[in-house]
Amino acid sequence: MPAVSKGDGMRGLAVFISDIRNCKSKESEVKRINKELANIRSKFKGDKALDGYSKKKYVCKLLFIFLLGHDIDFGHMEAVNLLSSNKYTEKQIGYLFISVLVNSNSDLIRLINNAIKNDLASRNSTFMNLALHCIANVGSREMAEAFASEIPRILVAGDTMDSVKQSAALCLLRLNRTSPDLVPMGEWTARVVHLLNDQHLGVVTAATSLITTLAQKSPDDFKTSVSLAVARLSRIVTSASIDLQDYTYYFVAAPWLSVKLLRLLQCYPPPEDTSLRSRLTECLETILNKAQEPPKSKKVQHSNAKNAVLFEAIALIIHHDSEPNLLVRACNQLGQFLQHRETNLRYLALESMCTLASSEFSHEAVKTHIETVINALKTERDVSVRQRAVDLLYAMCDRSNSKQIVAEMLSYLETADYSIREEIVLKVAILAEKYAVDYTWYVDTILNLIRIAGDYVSEEVWYRVIQIVINRDDVQGYAAKTVFEALQAPACHENLVKVGGYILGEFGNLIAGDPRSSPLVQFNLLHSKFHLCSVPTRALLLSAYIKFINLFPEVKGTIQDVLRSDSQLRNADVELQQRAVEYLRLSCIASTDILATVLEEMPPFPERESSILAKLKKKKGSSKLPDMDDSRKNVNGSTEHAEDAEVASKVPSHTFTDDLSVNSAPSSGASLLVDVFSDFSSAAPTEGSDEHFPRFVCKNNGIIYENQLLQIGLKSEYRQNLGRMYVFYGNKTSTQFLSFSTSVSSNDVLDSQLNVQEKPVDPLIEAGAQVQQILNIECVSDFSDAPILNIQFRYGGTLQNIAVKLPVMLNKFFQPTEMTSQDFFQRWKQLGAPQQEVQKIFKAKNQMDTDVSKAKLLGFGVALLDGVDPNPANFVGAGIIHTKTTQVGCLLRLEPNTQAQMYRLTLRTSKESVSQRLVELLSEQF
Amino acid sequence: MTDLDPISIQATRASMRFLLLFSRQGRLRLQKWYTAISEREKKKIIREMTTMVLARQPRTCNFIQWKDMKIVYKRYASLYFCLGVEHEENELLALEIIHRYVELLDKYFGNVCELDIIFNFEKAYFILDEFLMGGEIQETSKQIVNRAIESSDMLQEDDHSEWYEVELFG
């Protein structure tokens, strides 16, 4: 047996461990462990009382077995017994076991808490530390309840030993993180701030961690820490390193404390007091200066510690974003690191520069490093570093360098790691659109994306290119020519076939004059790809063919032959079959005029924000890819449509209205690309409606939409989980609106959460007249999207499409609840789990007026409770959300801070999604 | 906030979330968790960390972005030390936390090796606890930590006489 055991050496344990190590197979290991478990169990159950040492040894063995990855279901009681031993080692093992194998068994927790209580009262610093460690390690709610008020007392008591103060500070920090509601603020908070002045640097370090955490939540209470932190930092930065003795780490003065102080300062804006401010600036300058000094040691620990402080100082400079001089110096320093031989420093410099790029003071300075960053993209061996380089290029991109950056990203994409391709595709697509002066460049870029990384090009990307081409007639001819050329490649990506099919179907006529791209050539080219494509793409191609029949009468016969073939007319896929049948019929019976009307060129899409951006954000937020099935189904034609079995007989009756209405609103059947956005709740349906939507959160009546033709007003009333909305459509013109129709659409998720039933509306609105429509609404379960009201009518010769987000929000189903202060607090505590609470701190957008806020909260639907919050400036409210399936109790607190022009909003409900949504809705109102 | 303030604020997260020590073969030698997560989740993280870190090429950077946190790792002889930290943490100092822990182990065991940690795993935990607490650094002075470890060993030596007895197997 190796002589590695030290200190108290439990021989039996060492023997057991080496036995396990000698096991040749998993089976023999399990066998040995089971033998040991049986042995320990019998010892614990035996008649002979075990002495402390044996108990300790067996508990330690159990711990070892657990750490090997096996389940342990006994021994907890023995471990708890060890806690009350007077012998340090026994107590220590007991605590270790408890810390590692926390058991929510409440009987035991009470015993454990008892032992902890005794140790905290023992005035023996070693025992107190063990107890505090245990509380911090376990951090359970029961423990927090038992000790949250005791620990602050220990922390600030005058006679507490330094090491205990440190433990108490960090223990409190941990409890504040897990059960913040149980850690009461009090007069101790002021005394904690003064620990920043403590003689003992270990105490200062621990206290700084605690204060930083507390200050992040209630900055006002810890404002005085700023001047103390600056003073402390200044003393460290200017000290000769020997002053700090053992807190000097490889010739760097107290790096941990320095970084923590710099972090604490990042909770606050730059100090207003000028002398304090200049003292801080001086510190930061000194830190920057030190970076230029030759190293005092060649050890990597020296440079790491020194640069850790430097990076944190730069983070503070960026956070303040107020000293152009410091920002530019920071940027230059990072520029040096970009070429450093240490990979770690290059990585961090790229990362840090990303934030620097967004400051107006340093954006230009960051841009000067573009060549280095591009070089990093090409030469770094480590994918994580290359990823940072991509991020930085994205951050530093503007109109002046966009062409270069996009070109470099595209060429990197050819060899990029699969794990980051999709993200690069999204970034390129966003930059290309954002900085496109010349849209031919944009079209080229997106087609290149599809060529290079077609598999990683998501639907949003190719939808977007089509929207842009349709909306900009200066690029349509170019786009048609370019896709035509790209489609010549023998193997091209299916996404290219989609874009090509769509664009040629719309604008193929623009290049048909050239015999090399005559109608027949175009058609043959597209059709040569047909059989290799998936069903949705084929469906899209069939629509392109019928568009061709309209554009090019000369290929009508050829296309009709294709549609007529068995592989189309008898296709096993219902959607394809239906399209083939209907398109064929249409082409046979409709006159040229009717064809031209039905198959007219797509009208421009309403201008709206790109959904690619939302996608990128989503991607950054979670590594999970969003489910694309829904959107695919929509492009493909709705499910309802696909179920329609009696195809042939129905054709003539609805051909003109439903199935081919490429000009119609999203609700209709096979509306191809019109509704590309309807599945993305993040995209607003039109600009106009988006701007009015938030106004309806706290009120029920008003104008929701208005343009030159139409005004839409709303009146609504809600009771429990039901609502009724009166919609008024006003014709502002001197001409009739014909074929006026509406439909309400929801995405799949919302569809199951909210029922909206529309009563019929008059199909004709006289000039200057108003008609009314009633919508009945039922809330089935909580929801966060809003249904879309699609309106369609004919004005003059043209068909108008309007989509308006209906202001039906979750809070409409509120019923206010009055309750006493006592009830409120009791419920508030019951809803204390972290996922039940959602909080948001935000800047006031409007003037902070108590009466206005009150009116808004009442309009939001809660009852306001007076005299609950000790601070009369705060608002506390309660209400119940009624849905068909359940009722959700909601408690709300809004704390205005007029000085900082900020609000803090806290929602507690029994359902996370409800808390989340209510905060989203309400926080936009102030 | 006032004394009576009963209303809580959103819980934040520990700056360090976990520390793992594993061998080149992917055998876990020490695990310390600073946030409450389920055993299942722990096993998943351990599995992902070992595969991910062991697959890294030499001389690549010591930081990996992983989900919503940063992984800072470093290899010492046959052992990998792997720290999961919050996004805003200082990576370089996280590396030095690892180094400081290695120094402390070194001082205690005298040129520490993997076997020391296997056979004295409880000591490795105790030393870690003297140095870190609740995911924050507790004491950065090596002297003070060493003194604390030594004095607890002294307490153990004192105890010795009483329970030192011949052990039968097991």
Side-chain angles (χ1 to χ4, degrees):
Chain A
M1 198 199 86
V4 284
S5 204
K6 216 188 149 183
D8 60 327
M10 286 175 276
R11 234 176 62 84
L13 176 66
V15 170
F16 174 59
I17 294 176
S18 59
D19 276 5
I20 295 290
R21 283 179 54 73
N22 289 334
C23 287
K24 294 278 178 289
S25 65
K26 195 80 197 162
E27 289 77 45
S28 56
E29 184 184 304
V30 170
K31 220 171 124 196
R32 179 68 186 85
I33 284 170
N34 285 337
K35 187 178 152 202
E36 194 62 42
L37 287 175
N39 174 41
I40 298 173
R41 205 175 262 128
S42 75
K43 292 280 195 237
F44 282 169
K45 278 194 184 148
D47 305 328
K48 214 180 100 209
L50 288 176
D51 60 17
Y53 170 70
S54 312
K55 230 184 261 171
K56 176 181 83 164
K57 184 181 67 188
Y58 293 130
V59 166
C60 212
K61 280 183 182 176
L62 287 178
L63 190 56
F64 180 78
I65 293 171
F66 177 78
L67 290 169
L68 278 179
H70 301 268
D71 291 333
I72 295 294
D73 54 6
F74 68 104
H76 301 81
M77 202 56 212
E78 283 73 13
V80 173
N81 284 339
L82 286 176
L83 296 184
S84 43
S85 164
N86 287 326
K87 293 200 184 101
Y88 177 69
T89 58
E90 289 168 16
K91 202 184 265 294
Q92 198 183 21
I93 294 286
Y95 273 125
L96 179 60
F97 185 92
I98 300 296
S99 302
V100 175
L101 275 112
V102 233
N103 197 312
S104 54
N105 187 329
S106 58
D107 295 344
L108 278 181
I109 285 285
R110 214 172 323 119
L111 291 173
I112 295 167
N113 280 355
N114 242 338
I116 291 176
K117 197 165 280 166
N118 290 335
D119 280 336
L120 286 182
S122 70
R123 312 194 62 77
N124 172 332
S125 64
T126 328
F127 287 3
M128 288 173 91
N129 278 336
L130 280 180
L132 289 168
H133 263 284
C134 183
I135 301 172
N137 275 325
V138 176
S140 72
R141 199 146 175 97
E142 289 93 335
M143 282 197 181
E145 272 165 5
F147 301 109
S149 53
E150 172 72 2
I151 296 166
R153 220 182 39 71
I154 297 176
L155 175 60
V156 297
D159 56 349
T160 305
M161 299 259 300
D162 287 336
S163 67
V164 178
K165 271 189 198 162
Q166 283 164 269
S167 305
L170 296 181
C171 185
L172 196 55
L173 174 107
R174 172 71 206 266
L175 291 188
N176 187 60
R177 276 172 178 154
T178 48
S179 317
D181 54 316
L182 294 178
V183 180
M185 297 290 158
E187 54 91 43
W188 62 273
T189 46
R191 294 170 68 181
V192 165
V193 173
H194 283 280
L195 288 178
L196 289 177
N197 276 333
D198 202 281
Q199 297 270 311
H200 189 288
L201 283 197
V203 174
V204 183
T205 311
T208 312
S209 301
L210 174 62
I211 294 168
T212 306
T213 310
L214 297 173
Q216 278 164 359
K217 295 168 177 169
S218 35
D220 285 351
D221 292 319
F222 295 90
K223 258 196 297 218
T224 47
S225 64
V226 173
S227 59
L228 295 178
V230 171
R232 193 92 221 193
L233 181 68
S234 155
R235 263 179 285 157
I236 296 171
V237 170
T238 53
S239 73
S241 50
I242 38 167
D243 296 353
L244 298 165
Q245 294 157 352
D246 203 34
Y247 288 92
T248 302
Y249 181 83
Y250 290 87
F251 303 101
V252 181
W256 275 283
L257 179 53
S258 308
V259 165
K260 288 199 180 295
L261 291 169
L262 289 163
R263 172 67 51 78
L264 169 59
L265 292 171
Q266 285 171 59
C267 301
Y268 292 94
E272 277 164 24
D273 178 84
T274 44
S275 72
L276 189 61
R277 188 167 175 158
S278 68
R279 196 162 179 203
L280 177 57
T281 306
E282 210 174 292
C283 285
L284 296 171
E285 275 171 346
T286 314
I287 294 171
L288 286 169
N289 291 340
K290 280 189 180 170
Q292 299 303 323
E293 289 169 10
K296 294 196 178 103
S297 155
K298 286 207 156 46
K299 286 233 159 67
V300 67
Q301 283 76 29
H302 172 69
S303 75
N304 278 353
K306 189 170 153 183
N307 292 326
V309 177
L310 178 62
F311 274 107
E312 207 61 52
I314 291 177
L316 179 62
I317 293 171
I318 298 172
H319 169 80
H320 283 171
D321 197 16
S322 60
E323 301 267 356
N325 174 35
L326 286 176
L327 282 162
V328 170
R329 280 194 68 183
C331 184
N332 293 340
Q333 181 60 54
L334 294 177
Q336 285 181 21
F337 284 152
L338 285 182
Q339 315 216 38
H340 202 280
R341 58 185 172 78
E342 278 272 333
T343 315
N344 286 345
L345 289 180
R346 296 198 301 275
Y347 176 96
L348 294 174
L350 289 166
E351 188 180 59
S352 195
M353 259 199 188
C354 258
T355 40
L356 211 47
S358 56
S359 163
E360 54 168 321
F361 298 117
S362 49
H363 183 80
E364 287 304 314
V366 170
K367 272 169 61 188
T368 59
H369 300 286
I370 184 166
E371 297 302 334
T372 320
V373 182
I374 287 170
N375 198 37
L377 197 58
K378 288 176 177 160
T379 57
E380 283 291 350
R381 292 172 18 175
D382 185 344
V383 53
S384 12
V385 185
R386 291 197 297 270
Q387 167 108 50
R388 290 287 88 86
V390 172
D391 288 347
L392 179 53
L393 284 179
Y394 180 74
M396 67 160 71
C397 192
D398 62 17
R399 209 166 284 284
S400 72
N401 56 19
S402 54
K403 286 214 167 160
Q404 184 187 10
I405 286 178
V406 165
E408 291 296 346
M409 282 183 159
L410 272 177
S411 81
Y412 173 58
L413 191 55
E414 309 229 18
T415 54
D417 313 74
Y418 296 110
S419 57
I420 61 175
R421 281 195 181 188
E422 192 186 359
E423 198 182 315
I424 298 177
V425 167
L426 292 174
K427 285 186 163 151
V428 169
I430 290 166
L431 293 178
E433 181 185 336
K434 192 166 168 195
Y435 297 115
V437 186
D438 155 13
Y439 278 85
T440 60
W441 173 68
Y442 169 76
V443 170
D444 285 343
T445 304
I446 301 296
L447 291 183
N448 265 329
L449 274 183
I450 295 175
R451 183 179 55 77
I452 297 167
D455 285 343
Y456 299 90
V457 171
S458 55
E459 311 256 294
E460 288 90 338
V461 175
W462 75 261
Y463 291 170
R464 191 69 184 162
V465 70
I466 284 173
Q467 289 186 340
I468 286 179
V469 169
I470 290 199
N471 285 11
R472 306 195 63 92
D473 43 19
D474 53 335
V475 76
Q476 288 159 356
Y478 181 80
K481 180 167 156 284
T482 318
V483 292
F484 177 78
E485 280 162 8
L487 283 169
Q488 305 287 335
C492 52
H493 196 274
E494 190 165 330
N495 278 335
L496 181 66
V497 179
K498 291 179 187 162
V499 176
Y502 201 98
I503 289 184
L504 291 181
E506 293 293 327
F507 309 115
N509 55 328
L510 299 177
I511 55 168
D514 188 327
R516 284 166 302 178
S517 52
S518 70
L520 191 60
V521 175
Q522 285 186 40
F523 172 73
N524 285 336
L525 181 61
L526 281 180
H527 199 54
S528 69
K529 316 283 181 192
F530 187 90
H531 302 280
L532 298 170
C533 290
S534 62
V535 170
T537 309
R538 287 195 215 179
L540 187 151
L541 285 178
L542 287 179
S543 297
Y545 297 168
I546 188 72
K547 288 238 162 186
F548 269 19
I549 290 183
N550 174 45
L551 291 179
F552 315 120
E554 63 265 45
V555 293
K556 184 174 176 178
T558 318
I559 292 176
Q560 281 177 332
D561 286 347
V562 167
L563 292 175
R564 205 175 282 127
S565 71
D566 277 357
S567 63
Q568 308 295 355
L569 277 191
R570 292 170 194 267
N571 195 296
D573 185 275
V574 181
E575 176 65 30
L576 292 182
Q577 188 185 75
Q578 182 168 0
R579 287 196 189 204
V581 170
E582 290 176 355
Y583 291 166
L584 181 59
R585 275 307 276 163
L586 177 68
S587 69
C588 296
I589 61 169
S591 70
T592 329
D593 283 353
I594 292 174
L595 263 188
T597 316
V598 172
L599 301 170
E600 200 184 341
E601 189 180 299
M602 287 291 286
F605 287 85
E607 287 295 333
R608 53 189 151 200
E609 197 195 329
S610 163
S611 63
I612 304 177
L613 211 59
K615 167 126 182 166
L616 182 66
K617 281 183 201 143
K618 205 159 153 191
K619 217 180 136 41
K620 282 263 153 178
S622 71
S623 51
K624 230 177 76 196
L625 283 177
D627 188 5
M628 297 303 297
D629 281 356
D630 289 348
S631 50
R632 201 164 288 144
K633 194 161 75 195
N634 228 311
V635 170
N636 193 353
S638 70
T639 38
E640 179 201 350
H641 189 127
E643 281 158 10
D644 196 349
E646 295 172 292
V647 181
S649 64
K650 290 183 74 179
V651 169
S653 64
H654 66 179
T655 298
F656 298 99
T657 50
D658 291 347
D659 298 301
L660 277 174
S661 52
V662 276
N663 287 343
S664 74
S667 55
S668 62
S671 58
L672 284 176
L673 274 163
V674 194
D675 54 345
V676 291
F677 279 96
S678 65
D679 269 324
F680 301 102
S681 51
S682 54
T686 73
E687 265 178 61
S689 67
D690 205 14
E691 140 200 341
H692 292 277
F693 183 82
R695 285 200 220 151
F696 282 81
V697 171
C698 295
K699 61 172 195 172
N700 287 334
N701 307 328
I703 304 289
I704 184 76
Y705 180 85
E706 181 153 17
N707 67 8
Q708 287 143 335
L709 309 178
L710 178 74
Q711 184 194 58
I712 306 175
L714 293 183
K715 261 189 191 169
S716 32
E717 53 196 39
Y718 293 88
R719 190 164 304 129
Q720 307 220 318
N721 71 321
L722 300 175
R724 172 168 292 179
M725 188 179 270
Y726 301 88
V727 190
F728 300 90
Y729 304 98
N731 181 347
K732 291 166 68 179
T733 69
S734 47
T735 318
Q736 287 179 330
F737 290 168
L738 296 170
S739 323
F740 191 88
S741 71
T742 67
S743 66
V744 175
S745 58
S746 306
N747 62 32
D748 288 356
V749 180
L750 185 61
D751 209 33
S752 62
Q753 298 165 332
L754 191 76
N755 291 327
V756 182
Q757 183 212 0
E758 30 181 334
K759 300 270 179 204
V761 64
D762 208 331
L764 183 126
I765 307 182
E766 294 292 349
Q770 195 180 52
V771 301
Q772 178 193 321
Q773 183 182 26
I774 296 177
L775 305 178
N776 287 326
I777 300 161
E778 180 190 35
C779 176
V780 179
S781 63
D782 72 281
F783 60 97
S784 51
D785 283 330
I788 309 285
L789 175 65
N790 306 290
I791 300 134
Q792 202 185 109
F793 59 91
R794 196 165 277 282
Y795 166 71
T798 54
L799 197 63
Q800 303 288 328
N801 281 304
I802 293 165
V804 177
K805 208 159 143 189
L806 275 180
V808 182
M809 303 95 169
L810 185 55
N811 66 298
K812 298 293 175 201
F813 303 95
F814 246 132
Q815 192 182 334
T817 317
E818 296 286 350
M819 57 174 84
T820 64
S821 162
Q822 199 188 353
D823 284 348
F824 182 84
F825 286 127
Q826 196 189 349
R827 280 174 212 196
W828 184 268
K829 278 209 180 116
Q830 281 164 358
L831 297 172
Q835 68 276 15
Q836 296 176 328
E837 179 185 287
V838 172
Q839 187 173 71
K840 190 168 173 187
I841 298 177
F842 53 92
K843 250 200 143 39
K845 279 181 284 200
N846 306 310
Q847 207 182 345
M848 297 176 81
D849 180 302
T850 309
D851 290 334
V852 174
S853 301
K854 229 177 225 171
K856 280 185 177 163
L857 287 168
L858 289 172
F860 192 61
V862 293
L864 282 176
L865 308 177
D866 285 332
V868 171
D869 201 298
N871 181 349
N874 294 346
F875 302 94
V876 169
I880 296 170
I881 297 274
H882 287 264
T883 74
K884 191 180 176 191
T885 47
T886 147
Q887 299 187 356
V888 184
C890 308
L891 303 178
L892 165 159
R893 186 195 197 199
L894 178 73
E895 301 159 273
N897 179 337
T898 36
Q899 222 172 359
Q901 289 288 305
M902 304 276 278
Y903 286 98
R904 181 166 70 181
L905 174 64
T906 314
L907 244 297
R908 283 193 180 187
T909 77
S910 50
K911 215 168 162 200
E912 187 180 6
S913 53
V914 173
S915 306
Q916 197 71 49
R917 180 60 182 157
L918 292 178
V919 165
E920 274 168 30
L921 286 169
L922 190 57
S923 61
E924 291 304 311
Q925 298 299 315
F926 290 93
Chain B
M1 273 199 249
T2 58
D3 281 12
L4 295 167
D5 193 334
I7 293 180
S8 77
I9 29 194
Q10 184 82 24
T12 57
R13 297 165 294 188
S15 54
M16 274 174 246
R17 296 211 214 163
F18 58 78
L19 172 67
L20 303 177
L21 263 67
F22 47 84
S23 68
R24 258 157 57 193
Q25 292 74 37
R27 298 279 292 200
L28 188 67
R29 296 306 181 200
L30 182 140
Q31 48 171 317
K32 185 81 186 179
W33 304 88
Y34 294 110
T35 49
I37 48 173
S38 66
E39 288 301 321
R40 237 183 91 209
E41 188 69 11
K42 284 181 188 173
K43 287 197 171 139
K44 215 175 123 211
I45 292 179
I46 292 168
R47 209 170 42 239
E48 284 200 42
M49 283 304 115
T50 43
T51 15
M52 190 169 75
V53 169
L54 291 174
R56 299 274 294 173
Q57 300 291 318
R59 280 191 304 283
T60 46
C61 83
N62 296 88
F63 321 126
I64 310 170
Q65 184 156 348
W66 186 72
K67 302 206 170 152
D68 60 341
M69 61 177 124
K70 284 193 284 211
I71 307 302
V72 176
Y73 72 94
K74 188 157 180 177
R75 183 179 149 184
Y76 286 87
S78 61
L79 273 186
Y80 283 87
F81 290 69
C82 174
L83 204 53
V85 300
E86 284 305 323
H87 221 269
E88 56 278 6
E89 274 311 288
N90 194 306
E91 295 95 333
L92 288 172
L93 267 195
L95 266 183
E96 293 318 299
I97 284 176
I98 293 175
H99 185 74
R100 179 40 72 86
Y101 182 43
V102 173
E103 284 183 346
L104 292 169
L105 291 171
D106 237 6
K107 175 85 174 61
Y108 183 78
F109 291 106
N111 217 349
V112 66
C113 68
E114 195 181 336
L115 279 182
D116 291 322
I117 293 175
I118 296 172
F119 280 95
N120 301 283
F121 69 96
E122 81 284 10
K123 286 281 181 262
Y125 279 97
F126 296 150
I127 294 170
L128 185 63
D129 273 353
E130 290 293 343
F131 172 49
L132 298 178
M133 178 168 176
E136 296 283 344
I137 194 151
Q138 181 179 358
E139 180 50 80
T140 63
S141 156
K142 200 155 110 186
Q143 271 175 27
I144 295 180
V145 177
N146 277 326
R147 229 179 288 140
I149 297 166
E150 275 164 25
S151 72
S152 72
D153 255 10
M154 291 296 289
L155 286 171
Q156 304 193 343
E157 306 286 337
D158 292 347
D159 288 346
H160 243 232
S161 51
E162 284 171 57
W163 44 256
Y164 196 76
E165 55 191 272
V166 181
E167 283 182 67
L168 295 171
F169 181 70

